[in-house]
Amino acid sequence: MTNKTEKTNIKAALTLATAALLGTSNLAEANTVTTPSAKENSWDFDSALLFYSEVDRVSAAEAIFNAKKTFANDEILNLKLTVDALTGASANGAVAQPNVQTFTRPSGKGEYTIAAGDTPLDDTFHDTRVQLNAQWTQPIAPNYTASGGVHISKEYDYLSLGVNGNLAFDFDRKNSTFSAGFSYFQDTFTPEGGIPKAFSSMPKVSDSADDFAETRIESEDTKTTTDILLGFTQVINRRMITQFNYSYSIVDGYLTDPFKVISKVDGVTGFTQDNIYESRPDSRVKQSLYAQSLYHFDSVVLDVSYRYMWDDWEIDSHTIDTRFRIPLGDAFGTESYIQPHFRLYQQSAAEFYRPFLIDGEAAPTYASADYRIGEMTTFTVGLKYGLLVNNGHDLSFRLEYYRQAPTDAGIAGFEARGALNEVDLYPTIDAIIAQVTYSF
Amino acid sequence: MKKNMKLVLFIPLIIGATGCANLGVEPWERDLLAKDEMSLNAAPVDAALDDHIYFSKEASSGGKGFGGGGCGCN
């Protein structure tokens, strides 16, 4: 009983705090949130903490706090705060070599050494990001619902500002819904060390400030992302609902990764002669088709989705995501469920992806050795366990295993040679995802 | 169970072949559809966290919702 009162008080306190932050003066309403009759006009909170950890590479911690208020007339206000911290090492794009390699940090001040046979990883990255989202949704006419939102995200070297809007139309006894939405993001990237010149050699730590500056263009650059999303939702029968989406996305501006290099190797021996900064096109048009179905068996709920994405970089991808929610009843003294999760993803390489370049050959217009735009298959397997605790609050735990397996896209003229046959050009990456969520 | 799974996979074809004339339910038949777990976005916090991971690690994003920008994501 004491426990219950405490939890109720937490919610009441947060409600008061949120109301104060928003400048709403209706404290009486906030005070009555604990009574069952005030349910409709109350706040719902979701909080989650996630850890993501790759073997020998990046680790990240991310916390989300989401506050949602549903007003009596079906207006919904949603506020979300996300904070994440990233640390660890990330592949810099260069190939592994049978000898020790030394690389300069992005700032030009300092270097890191990679052991023979190891994939070059840059361990410079430590970043903290704060993101705020606000979304307002309301009925605007019978069967029409409109929604609008704003987004701001800030990290040490990155600022992202966004807006979005959506209109949904329900028909056939609300069994069918058409929706159309747009979003626009404006991002500014101010990387440590500035924006490197495409294909310039990675400077040496012994280079003078002038020599370092020679490899740089400017201190920051921008990109914009415009998305259009059309959706159709259909209730099939009492047990089943489906959704189909089409999305069109235009990304314009600086799409290169300023920290990534590509190795120029000797065409016969495979030994690295130079590491040069990568270069990507300054626009990308992506499209996708997405289908999702939920089916309610006698007790189990199956949620399955498929996405096909293609773009003008000649990447296409297939994603299948499946969840089974299996109720356990009161087997553990309280209502609970388990939810196995399986996700499979496969992508083809961008047309300008190259695992390395051959020294002495004519430079291509664009080239990147970032494995994330190379040919790759990934899968995720996971399990979530959720239970109802006091007052019907939900507590859940999620543990997942994620494997990325880059593969040789078999690009003609870029087969492994000499020393490259002795190293792993396409190492797999294993990661663990662990999450705790509490909703109240 | 197996039969129902096939139904899930082939439903887009069924919709295409029959139109929407026989689909849908009456308002009093929404007992199962009204459950939280039958929502198309039943776990929005999980979805947001997953989107961030896969946006950072793979070449695709969006589809279910907006792909968006939003992070440097190394």
Side-chain angles (χ1 to χ4, degrees):
Chain A
M1 189 65 197
T2 310
N3 202 14
K4 179 177 173 178
T5 309
E6 272 175 13
K7 290 209 166 87
T8 306
N9 286 343
I10 290 169
K11 183 162 179 168
L14 279 168
T15 302
L16 278 164
T18 315
L21 278 171
L22 292 172
T24 51
S25 55
N26 195 351
L27 296 182
E29 173 192 282
N31 281 328
T32 59
V33 68
T34 52
T35 62
S37 61
K39 174 82 174 138
E40 191 177 50
N41 218 354
S42 73
W43 289 91
D44 290 309
F45 300 102
D46 290 313
S47 56
L49 189 60
L50 172 132
F51 291 99
Y52 172 89
S53 184
E54 293 174 353
V55 177
D56 298 329
R57 297 199 184 188
V58 165
S59 289
E62 183 159 349
I64 289 191
F65 188 76
N66 192 83
K68 176 178 163 185
K69 175 158 178 146
T70 306
F71 296 88
N73 47 3
D74 287 337
E75 294 166 334
I76 300 168
L77 173 66
N78 199 85
L79 302 169
K80 186 168 75 173
L81 169 69
T82 308
V83 180
D84 55 55
L86 185 77
T87 183
S90 146
N92 73 2
V95 288
Q97 291 280 282
N99 49 280
V100 173
Q101 299 187 80
T102 303
F103 297 91
T104 309
R105 293 193 188 283
S107 64
K109 301 166 191 142
E111 52 191 16
Y112 54 96
T113 301
I114 303 299
D118 283 1
T119 301
L121 304 176
D122 182 350
D123 60 359
T124 309
F125 302 103
H126 303 279
D127 214 342
T128 304
R129 190 176 69 101
V130 178
Q131 176 187 324
L132 284 166
N133 292 80
Q135 193 80 22
W136 177 263
T137 306
Q138 70 167 74
I140 52 168
N143 297 321
Y144 283 89
T145 307
S147 183
V150 292
H151 160 107
I152 178 168
S153 165
K154 178 74 184 114
E155 53 202 289
Y156 169 64
D157 58 0
Y158 206 89
L159 171 69
S160 176
L161 302 171
V163 292
N164 71 76
N166 189 71
L167 184 65
F169 169 58
D170 298 317
F171 58 102
D172 184 23
R173 300 156 290 168
K174 293 191 185 292
N175 283 308
S176 306
T177 306
F178 272 121
S179 68
F182 81 95
S183 80
Y184 179 82
F185 283 88
Q186 165 87 47
D187 295 1
T188 307
F189 199 2
T190 317
E192 180 79 38
I195 305 278
K197 207 175 277 181
F199 297 147
S200 63
S201 296
M202 181 182 246
K204 299 202 163 35
V205 76
S206 56
D207 286 355
S208 69
D210 282 350
D211 285 345
F212 181 79
E214 273 293 300
T215 66
R216 307 288 134 168
I217 306 170
E218 55 197 337
S219 63
E220 64 174 41
D221 211 333
T222 59
K223 77 171 183 200
T224 61
T225 307
T226 309
D227 283 0
I228 293 165
L229 185 66
L230 301 175
F232 176 65
T233 305
Q234 176 68 46
V235 171
I236 304 298
N237 57 37
R238 191 173 147 257
R239 294 182 178 278
M240 184 170 183
I241 183 167
T242 61
Q243 181 175 44
F244 302 96
N245 288 344
Y246 165 74
S247 75
Y248 185 87
S249 177
I250 305 172
V251 195
D252 267 315
Y254 185 71
L255 305 183
T256 298
D257 187 326
F259 305 125
K260 297 276 186 273
V261 293
I262 181 165
S263 299
K264 284 173 93 168
V265 304
D266 183 274
V268 178
T269 65
F271 282 112
T272 297
Q273 308 299 305
D274 196 5
N275 287 298
I276 60 175
Y277 287 103
E278 65 153 54
S279 174
R280 304 183 193 191
D282 59 5
S283 84
R284 183 180 178 195
V285 176
K286 296 190 290 179
Q287 298 181 75
S288 71
L289 289 170
Y290 173 84
Q292 182 185 6
S293 283
L294 281 104
Y295 192 91
H296 197 303
F297 294 92
D298 287 345
S299 59
V300 172
V301 173
L302 168 66
D303 180 348
V304 57
S305 69
Y306 168 74
R307 174 184 66 182
Y308 175 61
M309 191 225 68
W310 69 102
D311 71 7
D312 62 353
W313 287 3
E314 294 182 15
I315 297 174
D316 55 29
S317 74
H318 304 271
T319 313
I320 295 170
D321 204 310
T322 314
R323 288 176 168 83
F324 290 92
R325 183 176 160 125
I326 305 164
L328 300 175
D330 289 336
F332 297 98
T334 178
E335 196 179 316
S336 63
Y337 66 90
I338 54 167
Q339 187 178 56
H341 173 216
F342 181 70
R343 179 183 187 272
L344 183 63
Y345 172 82
Q346 197 275 326
Q347 73 182 33
S348 66
E351 58 172 332
F352 54 88
Y353 170 81
R354 297 287 181 274
F356 48 81
L357 295 175
I358 309 293
D359 193 37
E361 287 189 359
T365 313
Y366 304 108
S368 170
D370 188 343
Y371 77 90
R372 296 173 302 177
I373 54 170
E375 190 177 280
M376 177 165 66
T377 301
T378 79
F379 71 83
T380 310
V381 286
L383 191 67
K384 182 174 175 178
Y385 172 67
L387 68 160
L388 279 180
V389 291
N390 288 341
N391 298 344
H393 299 166
D394 290 308
L395 175 64
S396 66
F397 303 90
R398 182 163 74 121
L399 188 63
E400 306 206 315
Y401 170 70
Y402 175 48
R403 165 168 277 204
Q404 299 177 78
T407 43
D408 184 352
I411 304 162
F414 294 89
E415 298 82 8
R417 61 205 61 213
L420 297 178
N421 285 313
E422 301 168 32
V423 297
D424 189 359
L425 292 178
Y426 305 98
T428 56
I429 299 144
D430 295 314
I432 292 290
I433 299 165
Q435 182 190 333
V436 182
T437 310
Y438 185 59
S439 302
F440 55 105
Chain B
M1 182 99 174
K2 201 170 178 182
K3 192 180 164 192
N4 284 333
M5 279 182 64
K6 280 188 181 162
L7 182 69
V8 171
L9 294 170
F10 287 112
I11 211 68
L13 295 175
I14 294 166
I15 290 175
T18 63
C20 299
N22 300 318
L23 302 176
V25 296
E26 297 300 333
W28 57 87
E29 296 175 313
R30 287 185 173 265
D31 54 333
L32 299 177
L33 294 166
K35 289 177 163 185
D36 284 346
E37 55 264 38
M38 281 298 283
S39 157
L40 286 159
N41 195 9
V45 169
D46 293 9
L49 291 164
D50 281 353
D51 282 352
H52 188 198
I53 291 171
Y54 300 125
F55 175 90
S56 311
K57 297 289 159 190
E58 298 170 356
S60 310
S61 64
K64 184 185 178 77
F66 297 117
C71 64
C73 298
N74 291 293

